[in-house]
Amino acid sequence: MDFSILLEYGWVLIVLVALEGLLAADNAVVMAVLVKHLPEREQKKALFYGLLGAFTFRFLSLFVISILVDVWQVQAAGALYLLYISVSHFLKKKKGKKEGGEGHRGDSLWRTVLKIELSDLAFAIDSILAAVAIAVTLPETGWFKVGEIDIGPFSVMLLGGIIGIVIMRFAASAFAKILKKYPDLEAAAFIIVGWVGVKLAVYTLSHPNLALLDRHFPESFAWKSIFWTVLIAIALGGYLFSKRKARTADTES
């Protein structure tokens, strides 16, 4: 293979790893929120199965990408599911306060794992579609194909996905520890889950079969700026609120 082609593959891989890292962060936040109610030992189990599911769905998505490109309903279901998780948390919290109880205590280990796998499916499609959009510009090696994709671009997408999973592994554990250390960040975390659901909804609405938004809008600088500005504002606001509440509690005690 020509050296210039190798450089092109290397550059695309770097860009893809950065992209997968950002998408993995979204997935990791959702995982951390879903497992936070579990004991630490079960948290590790749930995260392990969640990461296993994330890898499996991403790997399988590579083989059926030509079909998934047209199935906007899966992304729509993922968006609705994340919005449901966010809204239902606050509704249960409000109901718990009215009844004078602690509200929703959380699901069992396997019910939590099921929830993680459902979110993994939506994120896997989001991740692979983004990877294909980048890797499709690479020159084909002509050696052989895996499904409908040349082995060259396929290898880059697979490697980028694996690196994304590794990033997700450490990010999810870190987010879970942060939520345990700062329990008052819970509200901000669930708002972020809902905001990520909005992000998936934007991708769905820009799908060619719906075309309610311009197909290039999700990749535009304007939308990315809005998404990250709002996400950082939510996280920062939640952190400042939790710190102020902790100081108030220390003063009262």
Side-chain angles (χ1 to χ4, degrees):
M1 187 182 290
D2 189 85
F3 182 69
S4 62
I5 295 178
L6 285 176
L7 282 177
E8 187 175 353
Y9 267 75
W11 170 246
V12 168
L13 180 59
I14 291 172
V15 173
L16 187 55
V17 167
L19 175 64
E20 289 289 350
L22 293 175
L23 294 174
D26 290 347
N27 205 161
V29 168
V30 174
M31 277 191 189
V33 169
L34 291 177
V35 305
K36 75 173 293 293
H37 66 277
L38 295 172
E40 189 171 347
R41 185 177 177 182
E42 290 191 348
Q43 276 189 15
K44 291 180 179 179
K45 283 186 179 180
L47 288 174
F48 170 77
Y49 289 117
L51 291 165
L52 182 63
F55 175 78
T56 302
F57 288 135
R58 277 164 171 74
F59 187 72
L60 292 176
S61 296
L62 279 172
F63 291 96
V64 293
I65 190 62
S66 58
I67 299 172
L68 289 176
V69 167
D70 295 321
V71 185
W72 60 266
Q73 290 89 342
V74 178
Q75 277 187 315
L80 290 172
Y81 178 63
L82 294 182
L83 289 169
Y84 165 76
I85 289 175
S86 179
V87 173
S88 65
H89 166 76
F90 291 104
L91 290 177
K92 287 172 182 175
K93 202 83 172 177
K94 186 177 180 181
K95 183 180 178 182
K97 285 182 178 179
K98 283 184 177 180
E99 294 175 354
E102 296 180 1
H104 180 60
R105 291 189 175 184
D107 300 307
S108 65
L109 170 63
W110 294 111
R111 189 176 174 86
T112 299
V113 169
L114 177 60
K115 284 186 173 184
I116 292 174
E117 300 302 348
L118 289 173
S119 65
D120 279 344
L121 179 58
F123 279 113
I125 295 172
D126 189 25
S127 171
I128 294 302
L129 289 178
V132 169
I134 291 176
V136 74
T137 59
L138 287 170
E140 295 186 355
T141 63
W143 296 339
F144 62 91
K145 290 189 174 184
V146 180
E148 297 296 321
I149 307 172
D150 181 84
I151 184 59
F154 180 89
S155 299
V156 170
M157 287 187 283
L158 179 60
L159 187 56
I162 291 173
I163 294 173
I165 297 296
V166 173
I167 293 172
M168 193 191 306
R169 161 67 180 84
F170 292 103
S173 297
F175 289 144
K177 288 177 181 177
I178 290 171
L179 287 174
K180 185 177 181 180
K181 186 176 180 181
Y182 300 104
D184 291 317
L185 277 174
E186 181 185 67
F190 275 96
I191 293 173
I192 289 174
V193 169
W195 183 234
V196 173
V198 171
K199 178 186 176 184
L200 283 181
V202 167
Y203 273 94
T204 302
L205 296 174
S206 63
H207 192 282
N209 288 357
L210 289 179
L212 295 176
L213 291 174
D214 184 89
R215 63 181 299 179
H216 300 296
F217 178 71
E219 287 82 35
S220 68
F221 176 77
W223 165 243
K224 287 183 178 179
S225 299
I226 293 170
F227 176 77
W228 286 107
T229 299
V230 172
L231 190 145
I232 292 170
I234 295 169
L236 184 59
Y239 173 74
L240 293 174
F241 174 77
S242 64
K243 292 286 284 185
R244 187 177 67 178
K245 197 167 182 180
R247 282 198 300 267
T248 302
D250 290 339
T251 303
E252 291 176 352
S253 61

